[in-house]
Amino acid sequence: MSRARFLVALCLAVSTAVAVRPAFSVESPFEPGLMRLAEVLGSLHFLRNLCGEKGDQWRGEMEKLLESENPDPERRARFIASFNRGYRSFGGTYTQCTASATEAISRYMKEGETLSRDIASRYGN
């Protein structure tokens, strides 16, 4: 068998194997954006409270995201892990509000807004 035929046969075998995979193993195209949004919400929850905003606004936004997605338990755990990763990412860095923390808030606010807008415009109904 020539090398080209072998390669074609191999590609066909791989494409057939991929096509038979269960649908639940395929990640939706917007999943990484949603996970990043959860992480951004966690970061904002930590930083905004550090810098004087008392309350649970950003945790509340995360709860709304979970409510709207209604994820299965495994996916819910990934959302929560992303939120917690964002929250913890600044815990070791900032113990008080600084100019750098305020700048991080600004950047995360912009990123969260961009993610929300992009996901809604690309994948919304």
Side-chain angles (χ1 to χ4, degrees):
M1 180 182 267
S2 74
R3 188 175 185 151
R5 284 186 188 165
F6 176 74
L7 186 58
V8 169
L10 183 62
C11 288
L12 286 173
V14 169
S15 67
T16 303
V18 170
V20 221
R21 268 201 275 176
F24 63 83
S25 67
V26 176
E27 187 176 88
S28 64
F30 53 86
E31 192 74 4
L34 285 175
M35 292 301 156
R36 178 62 185 157
L37 181 59
E39 191 171 344
V40 166
L41 291 172
S43 296
L44 286 170
H45 183 62
F46 177 84
L47 290 167
R48 298 287 297 248
N49 277 283
L50 180 71
C51 289
E53 179 184 289
K54 299 302 175 205
D56 286 335
Q57 176 184 354
W58 303 104
R59 184 179 303 233
E61 294 299 322
M62 180 64 192
E63 288 171 4
K64 288 179 191 174
L65 176 61
L66 287 171
E67 202 173 282
S68 69
E69 284 298 307
N70 192 24
D72 61 48
E74 181 183 315
R75 188 167 175 243
R76 180 181 178 81
R78 288 197 328 261
F79 272 110
I80 292 169
S82 292
F83 180 89
N84 289 340
R85 184 174 40 258
Y87 185 87
R88 289 186 196 117
S89 67
F90 290 102
T93 307
Y94 297 109
T95 56
Q96 60 184 9
C97 189
T98 62
S100 179
T102 303
E103 177 60 29
I105 290 171
S106 177
R107 284 184 285 127
Y108 278 100
M109 292 291 290
K110 288 176 188 170
E111 182 180 358
E113 188 178 312
T114 300
L115 283 166
S116 298
R117 186 178 51 247
D118 288 352
I119 292 168
S121 68
R122 287 183 186 168
Y123 308 106
N125 294 335

